[in-house]
Amino acid sequence: MKIGYLQFKPELHNPSVNTEKVSDFIGGADFDLLVIPELANSGYLLSSLDELAGISENPDSGKYCSMLKKLSRKKNACIVSGFCECAKDGSQRVYYNSSILVFPDGKFRIYRKTHLFYNEKNFFHPGNTGFWVYEVPSEEYETVKIGMMICFDWIFPEAARTLALRGAQIICHPSNLVMPYCQNSMYARALENRVFTITANRTGTDTIGKESVSFTGGSVMLSPNGDYLSRASEDKEELNIVEINPLEAKNKFINEKNNLFEERREMFYYR
Ligand code: ACM
Protein backbone atom coordinates (compact mmCIF):
# COMPACT_ATOMS: atom_id res chain seq x y z
CA MET A 1 0.00 0.00 0.00
CA LYS A 2 1.40 3.41 -0.99
CA ILE A 3 0.94 6.11 1.66
CA GLY A 4 2.28 9.65 1.72
CA TYR A 5 1.97 13.31 2.52
CA LEU A 6 2.09 16.66 0.80
CA GLN A 7 4.08 19.33 2.66
CA PHE A 8 3.39 22.76 1.20
CA LYS A 9 2.78 26.43 1.96
CA PRO A 10 -0.85 27.51 1.52
CA GLU A 11 -1.44 31.10 0.38
CA LEU A 12 -3.09 32.95 3.26
CA HIS A 13 -6.85 33.47 2.77
CA ASN A 14 -6.71 32.39 -0.87
CA PRO A 15 -8.76 29.18 -1.33
CA SER A 16 -8.75 29.37 -5.16
CA VAL A 17 -4.96 29.45 -5.34
CA ASN A 18 -4.68 26.69 -2.71
CA THR A 19 -7.17 24.47 -4.55
CA GLU A 20 -5.12 24.83 -7.74
CA LYS A 21 -1.83 24.39 -5.90
CA VAL A 22 -2.87 21.14 -4.19
CA SER A 23 -4.40 19.79 -7.40
CA ASP A 24 -1.16 20.53 -9.32
CA PHE A 25 0.98 18.94 -6.61
CA ILE A 26 -0.94 15.68 -6.30
CA GLY A 27 -2.49 15.34 -9.78
CA GLY A 28 0.45 13.28 -11.13
CA ALA A 29 1.27 11.35 -7.94
CA ASP A 30 0.74 7.62 -7.43
CA PHE A 31 -0.65 6.73 -3.98
CA ASP A 32 -3.39 4.81 -2.15
CA LEU A 33 -3.64 7.24 0.78
CA LEU A 34 -2.33 10.80 0.91
CA VAL A 35 -2.46 13.31 3.80
CA ILE A 36 -2.46 17.11 3.26
CA PRO A 37 -1.84 19.73 6.02
CA GLU A 38 -4.33 21.41 8.39
CA LEU A 39 -6.36 24.36 6.99
CA ALA A 40 -4.93 23.67 3.53
CA ASN A 41 -7.65 25.65 1.73
CA SER A 42 -7.38 28.80 3.87
CA GLY A 43 -3.98 29.12 5.53
CA TYR A 44 -3.71 29.43 9.30
CA LEU A 45 -3.65 32.96 10.68
CA LEU A 46 -6.88 34.85 11.40
CA SER A 47 -7.41 38.36 12.75
CA SER A 48 -11.22 38.56 12.80
CA LEU A 49 -14.27 36.33 12.61
CA ASP A 50 -15.37 38.21 9.47
CA GLU A 51 -12.49 36.70 7.52
CA LEU A 52 -13.88 33.19 7.98
CA ALA A 53 -16.93 33.60 5.74
CA GLY A 54 -14.80 34.05 2.60
CA ILE A 55 -12.22 31.33 3.27
CA SER A 56 -14.27 28.45 4.72
CA GLU A 57 -16.47 25.95 2.94
CA ASN A 58 -19.18 23.35 3.28
CA PRO A 59 -17.70 19.93 2.44
CA ASP A 60 -20.84 18.91 0.47
CA SER A 61 -20.34 21.57 -2.18
CA GLY A 62 -17.15 23.58 -1.49
CA LYS A 63 -14.59 23.95 -4.29
CA TYR A 64 -11.61 22.63 -2.34
CA CYS A 65 -13.40 19.48 -1.16
CA SER A 66 -14.87 18.96 -4.66
CA MET A 67 -11.36 19.02 -6.12
CA LEU A 68 -10.28 16.36 -3.59
CA LYS A 69 -13.31 14.18 -4.41
CA LYS A 70 -12.59 14.43 -8.15
CA LEU A 71 -8.94 13.44 -7.70
CA SER A 72 -9.87 10.61 -5.33
CA ARG A 73 -12.23 9.13 -7.94
CA LYS A 74 -9.73 9.58 -10.80
CA LYS A 75 -6.90 7.94 -8.84
CA ASN A 76 -9.02 5.33 -7.07
CA ALA A 77 -7.28 6.47 -3.86
CA CYS A 78 -8.21 8.06 -0.53
CA ILE A 79 -7.18 11.57 0.50
CA VAL A 80 -7.21 13.19 3.96
CA SER A 81 -6.88 16.97 4.13
CA GLY A 82 -7.28 19.68 6.72
CA PHE A 83 -9.70 22.43 5.69
CA CYS A 84 -11.55 25.41 7.14
CA GLU A 85 -15.16 24.23 7.51
CA CYS A 86 -18.32 26.33 7.54
CA ALA A 87 -21.33 24.59 9.12
CA LYS A 88 -24.82 25.65 10.24
CA ASP A 89 -26.04 25.66 13.83
CA GLY A 90 -29.73 26.51 13.36
CA SER A 91 -29.64 29.79 11.46
CA GLN A 92 -26.09 30.61 12.61
CA ARG A 93 -22.86 29.90 10.77
CA VAL A 94 -20.19 28.15 12.83
CA TYR A 95 -16.63 27.34 11.86
CA TYR A 96 -14.55 24.27 12.56
CA ASN A 97 -10.90 23.42 12.03
CA SER A 98 -11.66 20.13 10.27
CA SER A 99 -10.26 17.35 8.15
CA ILE A 100 -12.02 15.47 5.39
CA LEU A 101 -11.43 11.88 4.30
CA VAL A 102 -12.59 11.37 0.73
CA PHE A 103 -13.27 7.94 -0.79
CA PRO A 104 -13.09 7.08 -4.52
CA ASP A 105 -16.88 6.45 -4.59
CA GLY A 106 -17.58 10.09 -3.68
CA LYS A 107 -18.42 9.45 -0.02
CA PHE A 108 -16.58 11.41 2.66
CA ARG A 109 -16.13 11.65 6.43
CA ILE A 110 -15.34 14.69 8.58
CA TYR A 111 -13.25 15.01 11.75
CA ARG A 112 -13.40 18.30 13.67
CA LYS A 113 -10.32 19.25 15.74
CA THR A 114 -10.91 18.34 19.37
CA HIS A 115 -8.12 20.32 21.04
CA LEU A 116 -7.90 23.87 19.68
CA PHE A 117 -4.48 25.56 19.98
CA TYR A 118 -4.04 29.08 21.44
CA ASN A 119 -5.86 31.77 19.35
CA GLU A 120 -7.77 29.14 17.35
CA LYS A 121 -10.13 29.30 20.35
CA ASN A 122 -11.12 32.85 19.30
CA PHE A 123 -12.43 31.69 15.94
CA PHE A 124 -13.35 28.01 15.83
CA HIS A 125 -15.87 25.88 17.69
CA PRO A 126 -14.22 22.94 19.50
CA GLY A 127 -14.71 19.77 17.49
CA ASN A 128 -17.77 17.65 18.27
CA THR A 129 -17.05 14.53 16.22
CA GLY A 130 -14.75 12.53 18.50
CA PHE A 131 -12.13 10.10 17.23
CA TRP A 132 -13.46 7.47 14.83
CA VAL A 133 -11.98 4.89 12.52
CA TYR A 134 -12.95 4.23 8.90
CA GLU A 135 -12.31 1.35 6.54
CA VAL A 136 -10.64 2.42 3.32
CA PRO A 137 -10.64 0.06 0.33
CA SER A 138 -7.36 -1.59 -0.63
CA GLU A 139 -6.71 -3.98 -3.53
CA GLU A 140 -3.98 -5.86 -1.64
CA TYR A 141 -5.42 -5.82 1.88
CA GLU A 142 -9.22 -5.63 1.22
CA THR A 143 -9.73 -2.90 3.79
CA VAL A 144 -7.41 -0.86 5.97
CA LYS A 145 -8.60 1.06 9.04
CA ILE A 146 -7.57 4.67 9.34
CA GLY A 147 -8.26 7.45 11.85
CA MET A 148 -7.85 11.22 11.85
CA MET A 149 -6.55 13.74 14.36
CA ILE A 150 -5.38 17.31 13.73
CA CYS A 151 -2.13 18.99 14.78
CA PHE A 152 -2.27 19.91 18.53
CA ASP A 153 -4.32 16.77 19.23
CA TRP A 154 -0.88 15.05 19.26
CA ILE A 155 -0.06 16.39 22.75
CA PHE A 156 -3.04 14.52 24.21
CA PRO A 157 -1.90 10.89 23.92
CA GLU A 158 -5.52 9.83 24.44
CA ALA A 159 -6.31 10.98 20.89
CA ALA A 160 -3.96 8.54 19.15
CA ARG A 161 -4.71 5.89 21.81
CA THR A 162 -8.46 6.12 21.19
CA LEU A 163 -7.95 5.75 17.45
CA ALA A 164 -5.59 2.80 17.94
CA LEU A 165 -7.94 1.07 20.41
CA ARG A 166 -10.73 1.49 17.85
CA GLY A 167 -8.57 -0.40 15.38
CA ALA A 168 -6.78 2.31 13.37
CA GLN A 169 -3.78 0.89 11.50
CA ILE A 170 -2.81 4.30 10.11
CA ILE A 171 -3.27 7.63 11.92
CA CYS A 172 -3.62 10.55 9.50
CA HIS A 173 -2.48 13.81 11.08
CA PRO A 174 -2.90 17.04 9.06
CA SER A 175 -0.88 19.72 10.87
CA ASN A 176 0.24 23.35 10.99
CA LEU A 177 2.92 22.86 13.64
CA VAL A 178 4.45 25.96 15.19
CA MET A 179 6.44 24.25 17.95
CA PRO A 180 9.30 21.81 17.24
CA TYR A 181 8.19 18.99 19.57
CA CYS A 182 5.57 17.05 17.65
CA GLN A 183 7.74 15.59 14.90
CA ASN A 184 9.83 13.73 17.51
CA SER A 185 6.86 12.91 19.76
CA MET A 186 5.11 11.07 16.94
CA TYR A 187 7.81 8.42 17.39
CA ALA A 188 6.18 7.61 20.75
CA ARG A 189 2.61 7.81 19.40
CA ALA A 190 3.54 5.26 16.68
CA LEU A 191 5.51 2.96 18.96
CA GLU A 192 3.22 2.94 22.01
CA ASN A 193 0.21 2.14 19.82
CA ARG A 194 2.03 0.09 17.19
CA VAL A 195 0.43 2.03 14.33
CA PHE A 196 1.61 3.85 11.23
CA THR A 197 1.42 7.65 11.52
CA ILE A 198 1.41 10.28 8.78
CA THR A 199 2.00 13.87 10.00
CA ALA A 200 1.58 16.28 7.06
CA ASN A 201 2.89 19.66 8.17
CA ARG A 202 3.13 22.96 6.29
CA THR A 203 6.02 25.35 5.66
CA GLY A 204 6.36 29.14 5.49
CA THR A 205 5.03 32.07 7.51
CA ASP A 206 1.56 33.65 7.71
CA THR A 207 1.52 37.40 8.39
CA ILE A 208 -1.34 39.81 9.06
CA GLY A 209 -0.17 43.32 9.99
CA LYS A 210 2.24 42.97 12.88
CA GLU A 211 1.29 39.38 13.67
CA SER A 212 3.31 36.53 12.19
CA VAL A 213 3.29 32.75 12.68
CA SER A 214 5.97 30.46 11.23
CA PHE A 215 5.58 26.73 10.64
CA THR A 216 8.17 24.05 11.20
CA GLY A 217 7.79 21.66 8.21
CA GLY A 218 9.54 18.35 8.91
CA SER A 219 6.52 16.18 8.03
CA VAL A 220 7.02 12.60 9.21
CA MET A 221 5.79 9.09 8.58
CA LEU A 222 6.49 6.38 11.15
CA SER A 223 6.01 2.63 11.32
CA PRO A 224 4.62 0.59 14.28
CA ASN A 225 8.25 -0.20 15.18
CA GLY A 226 9.10 3.51 15.41
CA ASP A 227 11.05 3.55 12.13
CA TYR A 228 11.07 6.92 10.37
CA LEU A 229 9.73 6.03 6.91
CA SER A 230 10.07 9.62 5.73
CA ARG A 231 11.21 12.96 7.20
CA ALA A 232 10.74 16.13 5.18
CA SER A 233 12.87 19.29 5.22
CA GLU A 234 11.92 22.22 7.46
CA ASP A 235 11.24 24.65 4.62
CA LYS A 236 10.63 22.97 1.26
CA GLU A 237 7.42 21.93 -0.45
CA GLU A 238 7.60 18.15 -0.83
CA LEU A 239 5.45 15.20 -1.72
CA ASN A 240 6.72 11.89 -0.32
CA ILE A 241 5.23 8.44 -0.76
CA VAL A 242 6.37 5.12 0.75
CA GLU A 243 5.22 1.52 0.45
CA ILE A 244 3.96 -0.16 3.65
CA ASN A 245 2.31 -3.37 4.78
CA PRO A 246 -0.60 -2.11 6.96
CA LEU A 247 -1.03 -5.59 8.50
CA GLU A 248 2.06 -4.85 10.63
CA ALA A 249 -0.11 -2.51 12.70
CA LYS A 250 -2.46 -5.34 13.67
CA ASN A 251 0.26 -7.06 15.68
CA LYS A 252 0.37 -5.41 19.12
CA PHE A 253 3.15 -7.66 20.47
CA ILE A 254 6.36 -5.73 21.18
CA ASN A 255 8.07 -9.05 22.03
CA GLU A 256 6.70 -12.58 22.50
CA LYS A 257 5.57 -11.85 26.07
CA ASN A 258 4.23 -8.28 25.86
CA ASN A 259 1.08 -7.31 24.02
CA LEU A 260 0.55 -3.55 24.36
CA PHE A 261 -3.24 -3.69 24.20
CA GLU A 262 -4.03 -6.96 26.00
CA GLU A 263 -1.86 -5.96 28.97
CA ARG A 264 -3.48 -2.62 29.69
CA ARG A 265 -4.55 -2.56 33.37
CA GLU A 266 -7.29 0.01 33.26
CA MET A 267 -8.24 -0.32 36.94
CA PHE A 268 -4.95 1.41 37.83
CA TYR A 269 -5.31 4.27 35.35
CA TYR A 270 -6.78 7.68 36.20
CA ARG A 271 -10.12 8.43 34.55
C1 ACM B 1 -1.70 23.71 15.86
O1 ACM B 1 -2.44 22.95 16.48
N1 ACM B 1 -1.97 24.09 14.64
C2 ACM B 1 -0.47 24.22 16.48
Side-chain angles (χ1 to χ4, degrees), residues 2 25 54 71 77 85-87 90 128 146 158 196-197 199 207 259:
K2 294 191 184 89
F25 265 124
L71 280 178
E85 183 189 2
C86 178
N128 54 3
I146 74 163
E158 297 88 345
F196 291 92
T197 63
T199 298
T207 303
N259 183 301

Side-chain angles (χ1 to χ4, degrees), residues 47 94 106 115 122 176 200 212 214:
S47 61
V94 292
H115 306 99
N122 299 340
N176 277 188
S212 260
S214 292

Side-chain angles (χ1 to χ4, degrees), residues 16-223:
S16 317
V17 166
N18 294 327
T19 302
E20 211 175 296
K21 212 169 164 178
V22 168
S23 172
D24 287 350
F25 265 124
I26 71 177
D30 179 22
F31 58 84
D32 299 303
L33 172 66
L34 191 84
V35 184
I36 300 172
E38 178 181 9
L39 296 173
N41 61 328
S42 57
Y44 186 76
L45 196 57
L46 292 160
S47 61
S48 83
L49 268 173
D50 297 337
E51 289 162 353
L52 278 161
I55 60 172
S56 59
E57 68 176 54
N58 177 320
D60 286 311
S61 56
K63 287 208 173 85
Y64 181 75
C65 292
S66 300
M67 175 275 293
L68 296 178
K69 289 174 203 165
K70 205 164 121 193
L71 280 178
S72 169
R73 174 162 305 163
K74 189 170 143 207
K75 291 178 169 296
N76 192 28
C78 288
I79 304 172
V80 170
S81 177
F83 76 108
C84 184
E85 183 189 2
C86 178
K88 280 260 169 80
D89 181 10
S91 60
Q92 282 218 310
R93 281 183 177 186
V94 292
Y95 301 97
Y96 293 100
N97 180 338
S98 298
S99 65
I100 185 168
L101 158 63
V102 296
F103 296 89
D105 65 2
K107 295 202 176 93
F108 66 90
R109 294 283 180 270
I110 300 294
Y111 165 70
R112 292 170 172 161
K113 187 174 184 178
T114 304
H115 306 99
L116 295 174
F117 180 72
Y118 202 60
N119 282 340
E120 291 171 28
K121 295 182 182 200
N122 299 340
F123 304 107
F124 295 110
H125 269 47
N128 54 3
T129 51
F131 298 100
W132 294 98
V133 164
Y134 305 102
E135 292 192 347
V136 301
S138 159
E139 272 171 30
E140 298 152 279
Y141 303 101
E142 289 187 16
T143 57
V144 176
K145 291 185 178 167
I146 74 163
M148 294 182 275
M149 60 184 205
I150 298 178
C151 204
F152 192 54
D153 285 330
W154 73 268
I155 210 164
F156 300 86
E158 297 88 345
R161 186 59 127 194
T162 301
L163 291 171
L165 288 172
R166 290 198 160 131
Q169 292 158 267
I170 305 172
I171 292 181
C172 301
H173 184 211
S175 296
N176 277 188
L177 295 160
V178 294
M179 298 186 295
Y181 315 122
C182 170
Q183 290 90 337
N184 291 329
S185 304
M186 290 310 289
Y187 171 79
R189 296 294 99 78
L191 194 60
E192 71 203 1
N193 293 299
R194 287 199 49 82
V195 291
F196 291 92
T197 63
I198 310 172
T199 298
N201 195 19
R202 62 160 287 182
T203 55
T205 300
D206 281 355
T207 303
I208 301 179
K210 290 202 171 115
E211 198 182 353
S212 260
V213 186
S214 292
F215 303 91
T216 53
S219 299
V220 283
M221 283 190 276
L222 283 132
S223 80

